[in-house]
């Protein structure tokens, strides 16, 4: 055997090893592609029902939001009506109630001045012991004298 024949055999052996290695790589790549194809098919089978369920859920949520919007507009209208009613009641009864309260205050003040010190009803000494209790003036005679 000559050197050229040995070199040819070595090249043929390396070539066979390279082809075998490439064949193994291609077989594994084919297996990976088959598994990927199966995975994509499974995901597609599961995604289509999920997407239809999600679409139905979004439609239901939109319906509920429309209802909430209608309720909110009704509540706004009721609030506006209540505010108008409150304003009407305040303007209708507010003025007369203030006048009645002022009249009552004036009557209490007039009643209090009638028995005031220096009006000639009582001596000044007893008048200094008067006490105001919830808008009423109590005469000094109702108090007990302290012993002492």
């Amino acid at each position: 055997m000559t050197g050229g024949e040995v070199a040819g055999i070595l090249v043929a052996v390396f070539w066979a090893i390279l082809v075998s290695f490439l064949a193994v790589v291609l077989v594994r790549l084919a297996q990976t592609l088959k598994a990927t194809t199966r995975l994509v098919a499974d995901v597609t089978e599961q995604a289509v029902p999920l997407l239809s369920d999600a679409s139905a859920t979004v439609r239901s949520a939109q319906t509920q939001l429309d209802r909430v919007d209608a309720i909110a507009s009704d509540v706004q209208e009721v609030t506006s009506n209540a505010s108008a009613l409150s304003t009407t009641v305040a303007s209708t009864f507010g003025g007369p109630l203030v006048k009645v309260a002022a009249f009552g205050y004036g009557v209490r003040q007039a009643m209090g001045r009638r028995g005031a010190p220096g009006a000639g009803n009582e001596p000044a000494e007893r008048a200094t012991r008067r006490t105001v209790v919830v808008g009423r003036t109590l005469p000094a005679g109702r108090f007990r004298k302290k012993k002492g």
Side-chain angles (χ1 to χ4, degrees):
M1 243 189 205
T2 64
E5 292 176 346
V6 172
I9 291 177
L10 283 176
V11 168
V13 168
F14 284 124
W15 186 256
I17 291 173
L18 181 65
V19 168
S20 298
F21 177 73
L22 287 176
V24 169
V25 169
L26 287 174
V27 167
R28 294 214 176 174
L29 181 63
Q31 289 173 352
T32 304
L33 286 175
K34 284 181 187 177
T36 304
T37 304
R38 267 188 256 122
L39 180 65
V40 168
D42 290 344
V43 167
T44 303
E45 288 176 11
Q46 293 176 0
V48 171
L50 286 176
L51 288 175
S52 65
D53 289 346
S55 176
T57 302
V58 167
R59 273 189 241 111
S60 174
Q62 182 62 37
T63 303
Q64 295 299 325
L65 284 175
D66 291 342
R67 288 180 183 170
V68 168
D69 188 34
I71 290 170
S73 66
D74 290 344
V75 166
Q76 184 178 9
E77 184 178 340
V78 167
T79 303
S80 172
N81 290 342
S83 175
L85 179 65
S86 168
T87 303
T88 302
V89 167
S91 65
T92 302
F93 295 114
L97 287 178
V98 168
K99 289 177 183 178
V100 167
F103 178 74
Y105 178 76
V107 168
R108 275 187 277 139
Q109 289 297 320
M111 296 299 286
R113 286 188 187 146
R114 192 176 74 178
N121 296 346
E122 300 177 339
E125 165 184 322
R126 287 188 66 195
T128 57
R129 293 191 343 198
R130 284 183 176 243
T131 283
V132 176
V133 177
V134 191
R136 294 185 184 175
T137 304
L138 299 177
R142 290 191 184 178
F143 296 108
R144 293 184 183 168
K145 292 185 181 181
K146 293 182 182 178
K147 293 182 181 177

